[in-house]
Amino acid sequence: MSQYWSEVVHGLTPYVPGEQPKIAGLIKLNTNECPYGPSMRVLQAIREAASEDLRLYPDPEARALKEAIAAHHGLQAEQVFVGNGSDEVLAHVFQALLKHDAPLLMPDISYSFYPVYARLYGLVTRQLPLRENFGIGIDDYVQAGRAGRAGGIIIPNPNAPTGMALSLTDVERLLAGSRNIVVVIDEAYVDFGAQTAATLIDRYPNLLVVRTLSKARALAGLRVGYALGHVDLIQALVRVKDSFNSYPLDRLAIAGGVAAMQDEAWFERTRSLVIASRDTLVRGLEQHGFEVLPSAANFVFARHPRHGGAELAARLRELRILVRHFRQPERIAPFLRITVGTEAQCQALLQALDDLQLPATRASVTSQHTA
Ligand SMILES: *Cc1c(COP(=O)(O)O)cnc(C)c1O
């Protein structure tokens, strides 16, 4: 606290990212990074870009990257916005498209950065509770929108931290029922088992899809994210960006991002590996008595009937394995969010659970999937 702080800063509750430990040798299953290194083509492109040209500003439009992204999704470059990680893209989205008089709707259990942006930009929010099975109730959103009680909607698909996916049919029902407001679908984890809404962009001018290269393209350290949507939505984001930072992506990020979007073979191979290890992890956790929510992401959300989430996270940490635990909201306090690692890392986690000697009763599994 300081007398020099602005009113806004006094009112902030900043997001707390997962731990990035300084200690070597920890198994890091806490921040949903990819356990494999990025495509060699990405590293090569970045090396080539590390040249004397760094004295020059990058392309403020990052046109080459927009074209590579557009080509991957079968869209036009004008339907693409790029930013310094999808967190920055999301921040601009809140200011450019979601700040209205009526409240912004979001799930009560969701990406905890959303309420932080809402605070930063002075948005009113309304959190709609997840259903009993932790699924998202589409009708709740449509009804609130119909009654004119919504200024926008933001939902991650798959949701974080539950990992549960909405079907494309449900997403389309949400869009069709909310045509007068912007609907943002945050697809940070979509490549691990959900259906993208990018295919609906030409039919729904109120849809904005937000994506990142941090998870499925193993580039969390490069900071590249993007949004896909109708040109009018993209223009709003460009206006905010050009009032904030003309060059959010540096030359290395643009070069690496282009190469990442073009290496489809690496992408397919890596996500299949992650999906296969997720199956190992889910089966192993269930054998240790955990209840695991159905995951379409590169992490699983699991609880043990007899051990609290905080306790388990602390005991695993003693065994040099990091997982994520959220104390709030209370409904998810029993859960651990565990990133899918390599096969060996998943085995190490299961071995650690053996060492903890949890009772081997099988938990009852909740009814599958979303409302
Ligand atoms: C990881 C994550 C992001 C942020 O990704 P960056 O591109 O690394 O900023 C956005 N939304 C959700 C739901 C995420 O889990």
Side-chain angles (χ1 to χ4, degrees), residues 29-30 32 161-162 281 285 290-293 299-304 307-317 321-326 332-339 349 353 356 358:
L29 304 178
N30 67 330
N32 297 344
T162 63
L281 185 60
L285 286 168
F290 281 85
E291 174 195 352
V292 187
L293 298 187
F299 59 86
V300 301
F301 206 47
R303 67 179 156 194
H304 197 278
H307 294 273
E311 174 209 333
L312 283 172
R315 289 175 72 185
L316 285 169
R317 198 175 197 294
I321 297 179
L322 289 190
V323 300
R324 190 99 198 250
H325 173 253
F326 299 93
I332 60 166
F335 284 85
L336 296 178
R337 193 196 68 191
I338 307 171
T339 304
L349 173 87
L353 292 173
L356 293 180
L358 307 180

